Amino acid sequence: MINKNNLWFLTLFSLILVLGVYYVTLPNDILNGVKIKNNTKTEEKVSTENSLSALRVSLEETRKDTTKKLEKELTNTDISNTEKNNIYEQLKYLNEVQGREEKIEKQLKEELKIDCFTKINNSDVEVVCISKEQNKHLANTIMRTIQNGNTNKLNITIKFQSK
């Protein structure tokens, strides 16, 4: 008598065998009637969005690691209150920087209709923009837009990637 496991194995094996034979005997020209529309704009948009997303993910992972390290130090009982306050200020600064970066990206998207990635490190601001137009005038406009929202003098670097 065949047990349940053997019965299931035989059933699934038979199904796989039938599908394999069907696939092998399938005519090669079955897809000739199907027209593939090549939409390069969509592909380009996806690749540029992916590059910005990759930059964001990389920065987020770095910040997440730094935050975990600082939080671990913060819970250490062997450090003084002054050191704990410094660590807390660093965590607070990381959150503020992330908020400012998001604000700048949103502002550039709304005002200039440009997709950008922004990274702030103290007074240095690095901006990567996806734009067909890549000239000094656009770079100056981006710099002015970023600087208008800040009272401190910023060192702004603009990098362009084409669409």
Side-chain angles (χ1 to χ4, degrees):
M1 185 170 190
I2 299 177
N3 64 18
K4 289 181 183 179
N5 289 340
N6 288 340
L7 184 62
W8 274 107
F9 175 75
L10 287 173
T11 305
L12 291 175
F13 181 73
S14 299
L15 182 62
I16 291 170
L17 184 64
V18 168
L19 290 174
V21 169
Y22 176 75
Y23 177 75
V24 169
T25 59
L26 195 67
N28 289 336
D29 61 343
I30 197 162
L31 294 177
N32 285 348
V34 178
K35 292 185 180 179
I36 298 173
K37 184 178 180 183
N38 190 359
N39 192 350
T40 56
K41 287 184 180 180
T42 304
E43 292 171 5
E44 289 172 358
K45 186 175 182 180
V46 169
S47 67
T48 56
E49 287 176 0
N50 286 343
S51 65
L52 290 180
S53 296
L55 290 171
R56 286 186 184 107
V57 167
S58 174
L59 180 62
E60 187 175 310
E61 287 176 358
T62 304
R63 290 227 174 106
K64 196 178 284 188
D65 292 341
T66 304
T67 302
K68 283 182 181 180
K69 180 182 171 189
L70 289 172
E71 287 174 346
K72 186 175 182 179
E73 289 178 22
L74 190 62
T75 59
N76 187 355
T77 57
D78 297 335
I79 61 174
S80 69
N81 286 339
T82 306
E83 291 172 322
K84 286 185 179 184
N85 286 339
N86 289 338
I87 293 170
Y88 176 75
E89 290 299 321
Q90 289 175 1
L91 287 169
K92 186 176 164 184
Y93 174 75
L94 285 175
N95 286 332
E96 288 174 4
V97 165
Q98 185 174 1
R100 287 175 40 207
E101 289 169 347
E102 291 172 2
K103 180 182 172 187
I104 289 171
E105 288 176 11
K106 183 179 177 183
Q107 184 179 18
L108 292 174
K109 178 79 171 181
E110 290 174 354
E111 292 180 15
L112 303 176
K113 309 292 188 251
I114 299 176
D115 288 325
C116 292
F117 164 78
T118 307
K119 179 181 177 183
I120 298 175
N121 186 11
N122 296 325
S123 65
D124 296 331
V125 179
E126 182 181 336
V127 181
V128 178
C129 295
I130 306 295
S131 175
K132 288 181 184 176
E133 182 182 347
Q134 300 176 8
N135 56 41
K136 292 178 185 178
H137 176 69
L138 180 60
N140 284 332
T141 305
I142 292 170
M143 286 185 208
R144 275 191 234 106
T145 303
I146 294 170
Q147 189 62 54
N148 284 341
N150 293 289
T151 55
N152 299 337
K153 180 72 175 154
L154 300 174
N155 299 321
I156 302 170
T157 305
I158 309 289
K159 294 181 183 176
F160 288 106
Q161 290 184 356
S162 60
K163 279 189 171 182

